[in-house]
Amino acid sequence: MRNFVFFVSLRSNVPFVLKEVLRMVENGHKVSIFFDLDGARVLDKNYVKVRKRNHNVDLDILLQNAVDKGIKLFGCQMNVLIADGLELIDGAELAGVVTFLEKAYEADAVLSC
């Protein structure tokens, strides 16, 4: 089993990352995803309601599958979008730089998207 950390800064990359991460977990790997900048929008309950389909996939279903499979979803607590009142989806949590660095040091690979 390998441990991976994804850092997602663009919301347009999220469907692709989630699909890949779900495959990785099915193969026995452990995965955490940190969302920052524009990528953090997908953790907003209101955004998910409005943008049900993104790149021909149901974003809310992908996110729920990720949570159900034990994938850790973190939104950067310093992100201006979150500070502006972003309401996190169920299963996501706020995290800071320290949490990201702890997860990154434990990981076999850190991937940025």
Side-chain angles (χ1 to χ4, degrees):
M1 176 176 79
R2 297 184 72 196
N3 184 4
F4 296 92
V5 174
F6 282 80
F7 184 87
V8 181
S9 59
L10 292 172
R11 64 183 158 184
S12 61
N13 290 339
V14 171
F16 306 109
V17 170
L18 288 172
K19 286 180 186 179
E20 182 59 30
V21 162
L22 287 166
R23 279 191 286 271
M24 293 169 82
V25 169
E26 287 177 9
N27 289 322
H29 301 297
K30 181 179 174 186
V31 180
S32 299
I33 308 173
F34 285 81
F35 297 87
D36 195 13
L37 305 170
D38 181 58
R41 289 182 191 274
V42 302
L43 296 181
D44 182 16
K45 285 183 179 180
N46 295 318
Y47 178 82
V48 172
K49 286 179 190 174
V50 172
R51 294 286 301 217
K52 293 284 274 181
R53 294 189 62 80
N54 193 358
H55 298 286
N56 294 324
V57 297
D58 287 321
L59 188 57
D60 57 338
I61 292 173
L62 283 176
L63 288 164
Q64 187 59 54
N65 286 342
V67 170
D68 292 346
K69 298 282 185 187
I71 297 167
K72 294 289 190 178
L73 307 177
F74 297 100
C76 179
Q77 68 186 18
M78 296 300 290
N79 189 303
V80 69
L81 296 171
I82 293 171
D84 236 7
L86 179 139
E87 185 180 348
L88 291 176
I89 62 169
D90 295 335
E93 58 187 272
L94 292 178
V97 174
V98 171
T99 302
F100 173 75
L101 290 175
E102 286 174 351
K103 295 288 184 187
Y105 288 136
E106 296 170 357
D108 295 303
V110 178
L111 306 147
S112 179
C113 308

